[in-house]
Amino acid sequence: MKRLAVLTSGGDAPGMNAAIRAVVRRGLSLGFEMLGVQHGYAGLIAGEFRQLGARDVGGILDRGGTILGTSRCAAFLTPAGRSAALGQLRDREVAGLVVIGGDGSQAGAKALSELSMPVVGVASTIDNDLAGSDVTIGATTALDTALAAVDRLRVTASAHGRTFLVEVMGRSCGYLALLTGIGGGAEAIMIPEIPQTPEQVAAAIREAYGRGKSHAIVVVAEGARPNATELAAYFARHAERLGFELRVSTLGHIQRGGPPGAFDRISATLLGAAAVEQLERDLHGVLLGIVDGKVTATPYAKVVGAAKPLDPGLLRLAPILTL
Ligand code: F6P
């Protein structure tokens, strides 16, 4: 019987479990034996495999995180690490591997596929910074989580007439911050793609108060320059001159947890099943994502390392909506 393996890698994202479930059940339905690799590439190098049956992936559709565990694995970046991983797959006669993860994970998947391992990727990261998918698994649930927090923070900001800096995830991509800012009605948004001086942000807040607002929300991406900590320190130093009372709230990893929403569950399910179908048809070396609403396969060469710029229309609209 032919054997396939599945792993999750990098930052966990809501919907990964739905993808694992679909990979396993579609694989079983096509007559494959299914193996799960624990703890991402670290577990692959160490040979942490376990057989997965239909019942092993029951009851996980609505669970965040990943039942397989995940890791960020420095060893896999080395040729020795990759060849050890390949050896583990060959030893178990694995005919194909599904890699569920974001940009770093898919770069690793591309490297494995260049070593003649049939690999199909499933685009999954809350950052939504992976080319080859309009929206990656986990991003919309993470946005809902961030928006729920901003809605609550606005209640207390309004009660006290305060300004809140809300830090959301995104080390190098401002997608979550931009969408949280637009969806949450932020008075200012700070993203890595567009550096601003603290004085520019202060001016946006002061102008908002000048237009009659009683409070302000600034959504700051983790990787913005200056970042939320630096901004808060600057505002504290100039508190008297700037004239607004500040509080900081860091959402951090809270955005990664929680049950996947409808879009993430369903897209993860479609992508997981399609990944196995690709391997069955001997079509690999591709990333599966959702493009124009459809499951789409794009060759790794076109997606790994490719830029995925933010929507310029949203960037233009954001400051207008704060009026
Ligand atoms: O890649 C997803 C992400 O959540 C980023 O937004 C964030 O910068 C990073 O992971 C945090 O990584 P870690 O969980 O390893 O601290």
Side-chain angles (χ1 to χ4, degrees):
M1 188 192 287
K2 276 188 131 186
R3 198 170 284 150
L4 299 181
V6 56
L7 63 78
T8 49
S9 165
D12 59 294
M16 278 183 161
N17 279 328
I20 294 168
R21 173 180 174 272
V23 167
V24 170
R25 292 195 174 169
R26 188 67 184 114
L28 294 172
S29 77
L30 291 170
F32 288 102
E33 185 182 341
M34 300 305 296
L35 299 180
V37 182
Q38 315 256 63
H39 310 121
Y41 290 124
L44 184 57
I45 291 172
E48 294 179 45
F49 289 79
R50 69 169 157 128
Q51 195 167 347
L52 293 173
R55 297 284 72 73
D56 296 316
V57 292
I60 62 170
L61 258 178
D62 58 343
R63 278 166 56 186
T66 156
I67 59 159
L68 291 176
T70 184
S71 61
R72 300 199 188 272
C73 177
F76 193 71
L77 300 175
T78 67
R82 283 170 180 165
S83 98
L86 189 65
Q88 296 285 7
L89 291 164
R90 294 253 159 88
D91 285 353
R92 286 165 184 79
E93 297 178 356
V94 171
L97 174 70
V98 179
V99 173
I100 303 167
D103 54 350
S105 309
Q106 302 305 339
K110 175 174 183 271
L112 265 185
S113 90
E114 285 163 358
L115 295 172
S116 309
M117 182 70 214
V119 185
V120 174
V122 170
S124 178
T125 163
I126 65 163
D127 287 353
N128 197 28
D129 58 350
L130 192 52
S133 194
D134 294 342
V135 188
T136 52
I137 295 172
T140 60
T141 302
L143 264 177
D144 280 336
T145 304
L147 284 174
V150 167
D151 290 347
R152 282 160 178 72
L153 290 171
R154 188 175 284 290
V155 171
T156 179
S158 155
H160 285 265
R162 283 172 174 160
T163 295
F164 267 83
L165 294 183
V166 187
E167 187 188 285
V168 300
M169 277 198 155
R171 254 196 297 254
S172 47
C173 174
Y175 175 86
L176 279 178
L178 180 62
L179 278 278
T180 302
I182 288 177
E187 276 61 44
I189 303 170
M190 299 275 298
I191 55 176
E193 291 85 345
I194 306 181
Q196 296 176 63
T197 64
E199 267 312 312
Q200 282 174 305
V201 187
I205 297 167
R206 285 162 59 84
E207 281 160 26
Y209 283 116
R211 291 194 300 274
K213 297 199 177 191
S214 62
H215 60 278
I217 301 277
V218 181
V219 177
V220 187
E222 189 188 357
R225 287 294 167 262
N227 63 24
T229 311
E230 291 160 347
L231 264 182
Y234 181 90
F235 290 166
R237 274 201 307 279
H238 298 268
E240 213 170 308
R241 174 174 62 85
L242 296 176
F244 49 76
E245 196 188 349
L246 187 80
R247 293 289 185 275
V248 183
S249 190
T250 302
L251 300 187
H253 291 77
I254 286 170
Q255 290 152 100
R256 292 231 294 252
F263 178 84
D264 285 330
R265 276 187 212 197
I266 292 162
S267 58
T269 298
L270 297 177
L271 293 172
V276 171
E277 288 161 12
Q278 289 276 128
L279 287 168
E280 200 225 1
R281 281 182 275 141
D282 214 18
L283 301 170
H284 40 81
V286 293
L287 176 75
L288 293 187
I290 304 288
V291 178
D292 295 333
K294 292 197 182 71
V295 173
T296 304
T298 312
Y300 270 135
K302 285 200 176 159
V303 290
V304 169
K308 183 176 179 184
L310 294 174
D311 180 342
L314 288 181
L315 286 170
R316 271 194 303 274
L317 200 54
I320 295 169
L321 296 174
T322 70
L323 281 180

PDB file of all heavy atoms in Angstrom, residues 10-12 72 102-103 125-127 129 168-173 176 222 252-253 256, ligand 1:
ATOM      1  N   GLY A  10       5.951  25.744  11.516  1.00  0.00           N
ATOM      2  CA  GLY A  10       5.929  27.186  11.757  1.00  0.00           C
ATOM      3  C   GLY A  10       4.846  27.556  12.761  1.00  0.00           C
ATOM      4  O   GLY A  10       4.411  26.728  13.555  1.00  0.00           O
ATOM      5  N   GLY A  11       4.410  28.814  12.714  1.00  0.00           N
ATOM      6  CA  GLY A  11       3.377  29.264  13.652  1.00  0.00           C
ATOM      7  C   GLY A  11       2.074  28.518  13.414  1.00  0.00           C
ATOM      8  O   GLY A  11       1.630  28.399  12.275  1.00  0.00           O
ATOM      9  N   ASP A  12       1.475  27.984  14.486  1.00  0.00           N
ATOM     10  CA  ASP A  12       0.186  27.305  14.298  1.00  0.00           C
ATOM     11  C   ASP A  12      -0.863  28.326  13.853  1.00  0.00           C
ATOM     12  O   ASP A  12      -0.739  29.517  14.139  1.00  0.00           O
ATOM     13  CB  ASP A  12      -0.250  26.620  15.602  1.00  0.00           C
ATOM     14  CG  ASP A  12      -0.383  27.606  16.740  1.00  0.00           C
ATOM     15  OD1 ASP A  12       0.650  28.174  17.142  1.00  0.00           O
ATOM     16  OD2 ASP A  12      -1.509  27.848  17.197  1.00  0.00           O
ATOM     17  N   ARG A  72       9.626  25.586  14.904  1.00  0.00           N
ATOM     18  CA  ARG A  72      10.472  26.362  13.989  1.00  0.00           C
ATOM     19  C   ARG A  72      11.830  25.677  14.092  1.00  0.00           C
ATOM     20  O   ARG A  72      12.413  25.625  15.165  1.00  0.00           O
ATOM     21  CB  ARG A  72      10.567  27.815  14.421  1.00  0.00           C
ATOM     22  CG  ARG A  72       9.200  28.505  14.446  1.00  0.00           C
ATOM     23  CD  ARG A  72       9.334  29.999  14.407  1.00  0.00           C
ATOM     24  NE  ARG A  72       8.051  30.661  14.630  1.00  0.00           N
ATOM     25  CZ  ARG A  72       7.181  30.954  13.677  1.00  0.00           C
ATOM     26  NH1 ARG A  72       7.451  30.635  12.416  1.00  0.00           N
ATOM     27  NH2 ARG A  72       6.053  31.565  13.961  1.00  0.00           N
ATOM     28  N   GLY A 102       3.323  28.220   6.661  1.00  0.00           N
ATOM     29  CA  GLY A 102       3.505  29.517   6.012  1.00  0.00           C
ATOM     30  C   GLY A 102       4.756  29.593   5.160  1.00  0.00           C
ATOM     31  O   GLY A 102       5.261  28.566   4.686  1.00  0.00           O
ATOM     32  N   ASP A 103       5.306  30.804   5.023  1.00  0.00           N
ATOM     33  CA  ASP A 103       6.373  31.013   4.033  1.00  0.00           C
ATOM     34  C   ASP A 103       7.644  30.214   4.329  1.00  0.00           C
ATOM     35  O   ASP A 103       8.178  29.542   3.448  1.00  0.00           O
ATOM     36  CB  ASP A 103       6.680  32.507   3.844  1.00  0.00           C
ATOM     37  CG  ASP A 103       7.008  33.205   5.156  1.00  0.00           C
ATOM     38  OD1 ASP A 103       6.824  32.594   6.236  1.00  0.00           O
ATOM     39  OD2 ASP A 103       7.453  34.364   5.106  1.00  0.00           O
ATOM     40  N   THR A 125      -1.082  30.384   7.396  1.00  0.00           N
ATOM     41  CA  THR A 125      -0.418  31.298   8.339  1.00  0.00           C
ATOM     42  C   THR A 125      -1.376  32.427   8.670  1.00  0.00           C
ATOM     43  O   THR A 125      -2.065  32.929   7.773  1.00  0.00           O
ATOM     44  CB  THR A 125       0.887  31.891   7.770  1.00  0.00           C
ATOM     45  OG1 THR A 125       1.243  33.047   8.551  1.00  0.00           O
ATOM     46  CG2 THR A 125       0.774  32.332   6.324  1.00  0.00           C
ATOM     47  N   ILE A 126      -1.387  32.838   9.938  1.00  0.00           N
ATOM     48  CA  ILE A 126      -2.283  33.958  10.290  1.00  0.00           C
ATOM     49  C   ILE A 126      -1.811  35.248   9.634  1.00  0.00           C
ATOM     50  O   ILE A 126      -2.579  36.191   9.498  1.00  0.00           O
ATOM     51  CB  ILE A 126      -2.412  34.164  11.819  1.00  0.00           C
ATOM     52  CG1 ILE A 126      -1.090  34.597  12.456  1.00  0.00           C
ATOM     53  CG2 ILE A 126      -2.971  32.927  12.498  1.00  0.00           C
ATOM     54  CD1 ILE A 126      -1.260  35.203  13.845  1.00  0.00           C
ATOM     55  N   ASP A 127      -0.543  35.306   9.213  1.00  0.00           N
ATOM     56  CA  ASP A 127       0.007  36.560   8.666  1.00  0.00           C
ATOM     57  C   ASP A 127      -0.521  36.895   7.270  1.00  0.00           C
ATOM     58  O   ASP A 127      -0.419  38.035   6.825  1.00  0.00           O
ATOM     59  CB  ASP A 127       1.535  36.467   8.576  1.00  0.00           C
ATOM     60  CG  ASP A 127       2.194  36.540   9.936  1.00  0.00           C
ATOM     61  OD1 ASP A 127       1.486  36.797  10.921  1.00  0.00           O
ATOM     62  OD2 ASP A 127       3.416  36.323  10.013  1.00  0.00           O
ATOM     63  N   ASP A 129       0.818  36.284   4.452  1.00  0.00           N
ATOM     64  CA  ASP A 129       1.911  36.892   3.691  1.00  0.00           C
ATOM     65  C   ASP A 129       2.512  35.921   2.673  1.00  0.00           C
ATOM     66  O   ASP A 129       3.647  36.093   2.247  1.00  0.00           O
ATOM     67  CB  ASP A 129       3.008  37.395   4.645  1.00  0.00           C
ATOM     68  CG  ASP A 129       3.573  36.279   5.518  1.00  0.00           C
ATOM     69  OD1 ASP A 129       3.001  35.176   5.530  1.00  0.00           O
ATOM     70  OD2 ASP A 129       4.588  36.518   6.190  1.00  0.00           O
ATOM     71  N   VAL A 168      -0.696  44.064  17.291  1.00  0.00           N
ATOM     72  CA  VAL A 168      -1.132  42.788  16.712  1.00  0.00           C
ATOM     73  C   VAL A 168       0.078  42.110  16.069  1.00  0.00           C
ATOM     74  O   VAL A 168       1.116  42.731  15.861  1.00  0.00           O
ATOM     75  CB  VAL A 168      -2.267  42.966  15.673  1.00  0.00           C
ATOM     76  CG1 VAL A 168      -3.488  43.600  16.306  1.00  0.00           C
ATOM     77  CG2 VAL A 168      -1.800  43.763  14.479  1.00  0.00           C
ATOM     78  N   MET A 169      -0.069  40.815  15.740  1.00  0.00           N
ATOM     79  CA  MET A 169       1.072  40.076  15.185  1.00  0.00           C
ATOM     80  C   MET A 169       1.408  40.526  13.768  1.00  0.00           C
ATOM     81  O   MET A 169       0.617  41.203  13.117  1.00  0.00           O
ATOM     82  CB  MET A 169       0.788  38.582  15.230  1.00  0.00           C
ATOM     83  CG  MET A 169       1.103  38.002  16.586  1.00  0.00           C
ATOM     84  SD  MET A 169       1.271  36.223  16.524  1.00  0.00           S
ATOM     85  CE  MET A 169       2.327  35.976  17.935  1.00  0.00           C
ATOM     86  N   GLY A 170       2.557  40.103  13.313  1.00  0.00           N
ATOM     87  CA  GLY A 170       3.014  40.458  11.971  1.00  0.00           C
ATOM     88  C   GLY A 170       4.383  41.097  12.047  1.00  0.00           C
ATOM     89  O   GLY A 170       4.493  42.318  12.174  1.00  0.00           O
ATOM     90  N   ARG A 171       5.430  40.249  12.010  1.00  0.00           N
ATOM     91  CA  ARG A 171       6.796  40.768  12.143  1.00  0.00           C
ATOM     92  C   ARG A 171       7.219  41.525  10.904  1.00  0.00           C
ATOM     93  O   ARG A 171       7.872  42.545  10.977  1.00  0.00           O
ATOM     94  CB  ARG A 171       7.768  39.605  12.390  1.00  0.00           C
ATOM     95  CG  ARG A 171       8.244  39.534  13.816  1.00  0.00           C
ATOM     96  CD  ARG A 171       9.468  38.662  13.950  1.00  0.00           C
ATOM     97  NE  ARG A 171       9.218  37.285  13.596  1.00  0.00           N
ATOM     98  CZ  ARG A 171       9.120  36.278  14.464  1.00  0.00           C
ATOM     99  NH1 ARG A 171       9.254  36.513  15.747  1.00  0.00           N
ATOM    100  NH2 ARG A 171       8.907  35.055  14.053  1.00  0.00           N
ATOM    101  N   SER A 172       6.822  40.994   9.742  1.00  0.00           N
ATOM    102  CA  SER A 172       7.275  41.673   8.526  1.00  0.00           C
ATOM    103  C   SER A 172       6.125  41.997   7.586  1.00  0.00           C
ATOM    104  O   SER A 172       6.357  42.511   6.493  1.00  0.00           O
ATOM    105  CB  SER A 172       8.325  40.814   7.807  1.00  0.00           C
ATOM    106  OG  SER A 172       7.870  39.490   7.735  1.00  0.00           O
ATOM    107  N   CYS A 173       4.920  41.706   7.990  1.00  0.00           N
ATOM    108  CA  CYS A 173       3.779  41.965   7.110  1.00  0.00           C
ATOM    109  C   CYS A 173       2.671  42.670   7.897  1.00  0.00           C
ATOM    110  O   CYS A 173       2.326  42.257   8.998  1.00  0.00           O
ATOM    111  CB  CYS A 173       3.266  40.640   6.540  1.00  0.00           C
ATOM    112  SG  CYS A 173       1.764  40.828   5.571  1.00  0.00           S
ATOM    113  N   LEU A 176      -2.428  41.874   9.040  1.00  0.00           N
ATOM    114  CA  LEU A 176      -3.321  41.784  10.206  1.00  0.00           C
ATOM    115  C   LEU A 176      -3.587  43.169  10.799  1.00  0.00           C
ATOM    116  O   LEU A 176      -4.710  43.486  11.183  1.00  0.00           O
ATOM    117  CB  LEU A 176      -2.694  40.892  11.292  1.00  0.00           C
ATOM    118  CG  LEU A 176      -2.825  39.387  11.130  1.00  0.00           C
ATOM    119  CD1 LEU A 176      -2.110  38.675  12.267  1.00  0.00           C
ATOM    120  CD2 LEU A 176      -4.293  38.959  11.085  1.00  0.00           C
ATOM    121  N   GLU A 222       3.362  44.164  14.998  1.00  0.00           N
ATOM    122  CA  GLU A 222       4.539  43.751  15.784  1.00  0.00           C
ATOM    123  C   GLU A 222       5.841  44.267  15.153  1.00  0.00           C
ATOM    124  O   GLU A 222       6.751  44.708  15.851  1.00  0.00           O
ATOM    125  CB  GLU A 222       4.506  42.217  15.741  1.00  0.00           C
ATOM    126  CG  GLU A 222       5.418  41.468  16.590  1.00  0.00           C
ATOM    127  CD  GLU A 222       5.337  39.968  16.205  1.00  0.00           C
ATOM    128  OE1 GLU A 222       4.533  39.573  15.330  1.00  0.00           O
ATOM    129  OE2 GLU A 222       6.103  39.212  16.796  1.00  0.00           O
ATOM    130  N   GLY A 252      -0.576  39.760  20.852  1.00  0.00           N
ATOM    131  CA  GLY A 252       0.379  38.657  20.713  1.00  0.00           C
ATOM    132  C   GLY A 252      -0.242  37.342  20.284  1.00  0.00           C
ATOM    133  O   GLY A 252      -1.104  37.296  19.395  1.00  0.00           O
ATOM    134  N   HIS A 253       0.177  36.276  20.974  1.00  0.00           N
ATOM    135  CA  HIS A 253      -0.202  34.925  20.543  1.00  0.00           C
ATOM    136  C   HIS A 253      -1.682  34.616  20.751  1.00  0.00           C
ATOM    137  O   HIS A 253      -2.155  33.580  20.254  1.00  0.00           O
ATOM    138  CB  HIS A 253       0.671  33.894  21.259  1.00  0.00           C
ATOM    139  CG  HIS A 253       2.102  33.928  20.798  1.00  0.00           C
ATOM    140  ND1 HIS A 253       2.980  34.893  21.206  1.00  0.00           N
ATOM    141  CD2 HIS A 253       2.777  33.144  19.925  1.00  0.00           C
ATOM    142  CE1 HIS A 253       4.153  34.689  20.624  1.00  0.00           C
ATOM    143  NE2 HIS A 253       4.051  33.640  19.837  1.00  0.00           N
ATOM    144  N   ARG A 256      -3.424  33.595  17.715  1.00  0.00           N
ATOM    145  CA  ARG A 256      -3.208  32.307  17.065  1.00  0.00           C
ATOM    146  C   ARG A 256      -4.174  31.237  17.573  1.00  0.00           C
ATOM    147  O   ARG A 256      -4.394  30.235  16.911  1.00  0.00           O
ATOM    148  CB  ARG A 256      -1.756  31.859  17.286  1.00  0.00           C
ATOM    149  CG  ARG A 256      -0.763  32.724  16.552  1.00  0.00           C
ATOM    150  CD  ARG A 256       0.194  31.916  15.721  1.00  0.00           C
ATOM    151  NE  ARG A 256       1.054  31.101  16.518  1.00  0.00           N
ATOM    152  CZ  ARG A 256       2.362  31.326  16.712  1.00  0.00           C
ATOM    153  NH1 ARG A 256       2.934  32.363  16.140  1.00  0.00           N
ATOM    154  NH2 ARG A 256       3.075  30.515  17.436  1.00  0.00           N
TER     155      ARG A 256
HETATM  156  O1  F6P B   1       4.068  33.573  11.503  1.00  0.00           O
HETATM  157  C1  F6P B   1       3.006  33.737  12.359  1.00  0.00           C
HETATM  158  C2  F6P B   1       3.411  34.562  13.562  1.00  0.00           C
HETATM  159  O2  F6P B   1       2.352  34.513  14.482  1.00  0.00           O
HETATM  160  C3  F6P B   1       3.832  35.984  13.286  1.00  0.00           C
HETATM  161  O3  F6P B   1       2.763  36.886  13.171  1.00  0.00           O
HETATM  162  C4  F6P B   1       4.691  36.299  14.469  1.00  0.00           C
HETATM  163  O4  F6P B   1       5.600  37.326  14.157  1.00  0.00           O
HETATM  164  C5  F6P B   1       5.388  34.997  14.714  1.00  0.00           C
HETATM  165  O5  F6P B   1       4.547  33.987  14.201  1.00  0.00           O
HETATM  166  C6  F6P B   1       5.692  34.687  16.151  1.00  0.00           C
HETATM  167  O6  F6P B   1       6.425  33.510  16.187  1.00  0.00           O
HETATM  168  P1  F6P B   1       6.669  32.655  17.490  1.00  0.00           P
HETATM  169  O7  F6P B   1       5.385  31.982  17.832  1.00  0.00           O
HETATM  170  O8  F6P B   1       7.724  31.687  17.081  1.00  0.00           O
HETATM  171  O9  F6P B   1       7.075  33.593  18.569  1.00  0.00           O
END
